[in-house]
């Protein structure tokens, strides 16, 4: 009898520990979500400011929605969607940003470059290489200067192509705005991941509460 | 396994946008713009002439397209179709409410935070365990 009571007590304690972990995960992800949104606001504000200055120097007729390219073209920056925690009953999506990863012939060149870099590294994973502009990543591979420069060239070409709809010569502030919005994109993908973590942990806590009430 | 929620995985999905002109132009400079064979874009510029119906249609289209992973929507635009945004509950595409130039982000209006704020109310985990 005492053993049964002890076993039941252990189960309750385990469930409470699991519930506490989920609550902490939920609180952490909610806090991360709000913090990232605050950072996003600052980054977007900088981007809007740079865009306004560029518009002032280049003219409103050169920077507006009417000149946007409506010809057939694929997005150069895309998102990969994976399922995190494959063994879990509830699927949680994971978003990975691929900046300047593919455009027609550019994609072929970029992928070939990627293969060369992978060969140099002796790795099969290539996801990290697609996150350009990451200074930490750049510092980790100092011995691949040749390959890095080629990839950087490709990225710069893609950036220039993206700005080409505004004309051949563009204001430096427009380039600065482009970088701000690129940073904003990275934050948005982090926010998307934080959102899915928050909703996933919320569902678990909610179920735990329902179980306790039941 | 039968109850497992399947996530629609995709190696190269798009980010769609329903926002003001400056936000769209800025994000397009970052390379997210896509125009397909039917000249359909992955964005909608919202201005003073845009109707609620147009916003609704764009939201419904972007949330049902298989090639879109994230839908960015300015929060003031989301408020125009709040019922539709709040009733959306799929994991993919993820709906993110973002600030705009003239309308800063307000967490009290955020659809996701509204959904989870129940945990911060008097019926919280702590009170459930008393």
């Amino acid at each position: 009898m005492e053993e049964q009571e002890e076993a039941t007590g252990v189960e309750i304690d385990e469930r409470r520990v699991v519930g506490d972990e989920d609550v902490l995960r939920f609180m952490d992800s909610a806090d991360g979500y709000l913090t990232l949104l605050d950072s996003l606001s600052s980054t977007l504000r900088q981007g809007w400011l740079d865009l306004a200055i560029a518009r002032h120097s280049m003219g409103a007729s050169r920077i507006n929605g009417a000149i946007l390219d409506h010809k057939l073209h694929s997005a150069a920056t895309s998102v990969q969607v994976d399922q995190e925690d494959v063994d879990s009953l509830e699927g949680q999506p994971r978003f990975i940003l691929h900046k300047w990863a593919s455009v027609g012939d550019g994609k072929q060149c970029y992928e070939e470059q990627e293969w060369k870099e992978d060969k140099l590294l002796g790795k099969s994973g290539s996801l990290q290489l697609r996150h350009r502009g990451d200074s930490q990543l750049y510092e980790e591979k100092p011995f691949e200067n040749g390959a890095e420069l080629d990839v950087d060239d490709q990225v710069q070409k893609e950036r220039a192509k993206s700005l080409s709809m505004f004309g051949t010569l563009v204001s430096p502030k427009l380039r600065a705005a482009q970088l701000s919005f690129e940073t904003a994109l990275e934050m948005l993908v982090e926010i998307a991941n934080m959102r899915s973590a928050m909703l996933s942990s919320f569902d678990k806590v909610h179920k735990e509460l329902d179980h306790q009430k039941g | 396994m039968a109850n497992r929620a399947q996530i629609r995985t995709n190696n190269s999905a798009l980010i769609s946008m329903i926002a003001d002109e400056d936000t769209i132009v800025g994000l397009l400079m970052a390379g997210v713009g896509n125009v397909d064979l039917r000249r359909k874009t992955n964005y909608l510029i919202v201005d003073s002439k845009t109707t609620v119906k147009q916003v609704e249609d764009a939201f419904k289209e972007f949330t049902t397209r298989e090639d879109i992973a994230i839908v960015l929507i300015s929060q003031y635009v989301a408020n125009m179709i709040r019922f539709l945004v709040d009733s959306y509950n799929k994991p993919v595409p993820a709906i993110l409410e973002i600030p705009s130039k003239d309308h800063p982000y307000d967490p009290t209006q955020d659809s996701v935070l509204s959904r989870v704020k129940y945990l911060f109310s008097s019926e919280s985990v702590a009170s459930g365990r008393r």
Side-chain angles (χ1 to χ4, degrees):
Chain A
M1 183 69 169
E2 284 177 0
E3 284 174 0
Q4 281 178 354
E5 282 176 357
E6 194 178 314
T8 310
V10 168
E11 281 174 13
I12 290 171
D13 284 342
E14 280 178 356
R15 205 185 308 141
R16 186 164 294 153
V17 168
V18 169
D20 284 343
E21 281 178 7
D22 290 330
V23 170
L24 280 172
R25 205 171 291 130
F26 167 75
M27 299 294 285
D28 282 343
S29 52
D31 181 61
Y33 183 80
L34 289 167
T35 304
L36 281 167
L37 273 161
D38 192 50
S39 300
L40 175 73
S41 293
S42 302
T43 305
L44 284 175
R45 263 200 301 275
Q46 186 60 49
W48 291 321
L49 180 63
D50 289 335
L51 195 61
I53 296 172
R55 185 180 281 123
H56 181 74
S57 67
M58 291 169 61
S61 59
R62 285 184 65 188
I63 303 181
N64 62 68
I67 61 156
L68 294 176
D69 188 5
H70 286 276
K71 287 181 285 190
L72 169 68
H73 69 273
S74 304
T77 296
S78 59
V79 172
Q80 180 180 342
V81 184
D82 285 339
Q83 180 161 342
E84 193 153 320
D85 199 4
V86 177
D87 296 329
S88 165
L89 284 176
E90 294 118 7
Q92 180 184 326
R94 187 171 65 117
F95 302 92
I96 304 161
L97 183 66
H98 295 309
K99 278 166 54 175
W100 310 115
S102 66
V103 174
D105 291 338
K107 177 178 183 180
Q108 205 168 1
C109 293
Y110 186 80
E111 284 182 347
E112 281 176 5
Q113 186 58 52
E114 206 173 69
W115 179 81
K116 283 177 195 167
E117 287 190 65
D118 287 341
K119 208 175 166 190
L120 283 169
L121 282 170
K123 283 183 190 176
S124 57
S126 59
L127 207 58
Q128 288 180 354
L129 300 173
R130 297 184 182 185
H131 292 268
R132 301 310 310 154
D134 187 341
S135 59
Q136 189 181 3
L137 190 65
Y138 188 84
E139 285 162 11
E140 286 171 358
K141 295 179 279 187
F143 52 86
E144 301 167 334
N145 282 342
E148 287 282 350
L149 284 172
D150 287 342
V151 172
D152 277 342
D153 279 345
Q154 185 67 25
V155 170
Q156 290 307 323
K157 278 180 190 168
E158 294 294 337
R159 285 200 175 112
K161 192 175 172 184
S162 182
L163 291 182
S164 62
M165 60 179 160
F166 301 107
T168 313
L169 291 173
V170 296
S171 162
K173 280 296 181 183
L174 195 65
R175 297 187 196 280
Q178 184 181 45
L179 291 176
S180 293
F181 281 101
E182 276 187 42
T183 307
L185 263 185
E186 291 168 9
M187 287 180 182
L188 284 163
V189 171
E190 281 185 57
I191 290 171
N193 286 323
M194 202 61 72
R195 171 189 179 272
S196 66
M198 184 168 57
L199 289 174
S200 169
S201 52
F202 169 74
D203 285 341
K204 287 178 186 166
V205 172
H206 200 229
K207 277 182 189 160
E208 168 70 14
L209 282 176
D210 288 343
H211 185 84
Q212 287 176 4
K213 283 176 189 171
Chain B
M1 277 306 212
N3 295 329
R4 188 172 170 180
Q6 288 296 324
I7 301 298
R8 197 176 68 213
T9 58
N10 192 327
N11 283 335
S12 182
L14 301 172
I15 297 174
S16 65
M17 300 149 282
I18 306 174
D20 57 283
E21 183 179 278
D22 276 7
T23 304
I24 299 262
V25 167
L27 290 171
L28 290 185
M29 285 197 299
V32 297
N34 188 85
V35 180
D36 65 12
L37 284 166
R38 289 173 294 174
R39 293 272 181 100
K40 287 180 84 173
T41 61
N42 60 328
Y43 58 88
L44 172 72
I45 296 178
V46 178
D47 56 23
S48 54
K49 296 174 190 165
T50 310
T51 62
V52 174
K53 178 80 171 52
Q54 283 175 303
V55 175
E56 265 183 26
D57 290 344
F59 183 82
K60 285 175 184 169
E61 183 203 331
F62 293 155
T63 51
T64 48
R65 274 172 63 169
E66 303 245 327
D67 59 343
I68 289 176
I70 296 175
V71 178
L72 305 177
I73 181 167
S74 293
Q75 194 171 55
Y76 83 97
V77 177
N79 287 339
M80 291 161 68
I81 54 167
R82 182 49 68 192
F83 178 72
L84 208 57
V85 174
D86 283 354
S87 61
Y88 176 86
N89 58 3
K90 294 179 196 167
V92 179
I95 311 298
L96 303 182
E97 295 182 33
I98 60 175
S100 63
K101 254 188 346 183
D102 304 319
H103 301 87
Y105 174 75
D106 182 358
T108 61
Q109 294 178 21
D110 190 305
S111 170
V112 170
L113 293 177
S114 300
R115 214 190 302 178
V116 303
K117 72 179 179 184
Y118 144 81
L119 277 185
F120 298 104
S121 69
S122 56
E123 291 183 18
S124 65
V125 174
S127 62
R129 288 197 177 145
R130 284 189 203 122

